Amino acid sequence: MMATVAGWHIEVEFREIGSETRAVALLRLPDGAELRAHAHADRHPHDPSQPRVGEEVAAARLLNELAGLLLAKAEREIEEATTGGAHPAR
């Protein structure tokens, strides 16, 4: 059996605006589909500025949103190819 290698490309950008870290992601899939997700993290105004921590929190939320979008895409594709319902998230 031969192994199949697939590459996915994810671009993530962060922007600091005051006490908020905003994150945006673009996932490019081999089938040509592109999924976009947005997330943010808020720092309490009295907490010290730690941009790396804000990026980590925003990225975790961003990847969670992206995972949901990817599962929804897979569910649609399964339903299109079969006669039954699909539940890939379970």
Side-chain angles (χ1 to χ4, degrees):
M1 177 182 275
M2 289 186 67
T4 301
V5 177
W8 292 10
H9 300 279
I10 301 174
E11 296 175 20
V12 179
E13 292 182 4
F14 299 98
R15 178 169 290 155
E16 300 285 330
I17 301 173
S19 61
E20 181 182 46
T21 301
R22 296 182 184 176
V24 178
L26 171 63
L27 169 61
R28 290 191 177 99
L29 298 170
D31 67 0
E34 292 184 348
L35 301 177
R36 288 176 170 75
H38 301 80
H40 73 279
D42 292 306
R43 175 178 48 86
H44 189 280
H46 299 299
D47 290 344
S49 177
Q50 293 182 294
R52 181 183 51 80
V53 174
E55 289 172 3
E56 290 169 352
V57 172
R61 291 175 177 162
L62 181 76
L63 293 172
N64 191 39
E65 181 180 333
L66 205 52
L69 293 172
L70 194 55
L71 282 168
K73 179 183 182 302
E75 184 174 331
R76 286 189 305 274
E77 291 174 351
I78 291 168
E79 288 176 348
E80 289 172 2
T82 64
T83 57
H87 306 285
R90 292 183 188 160

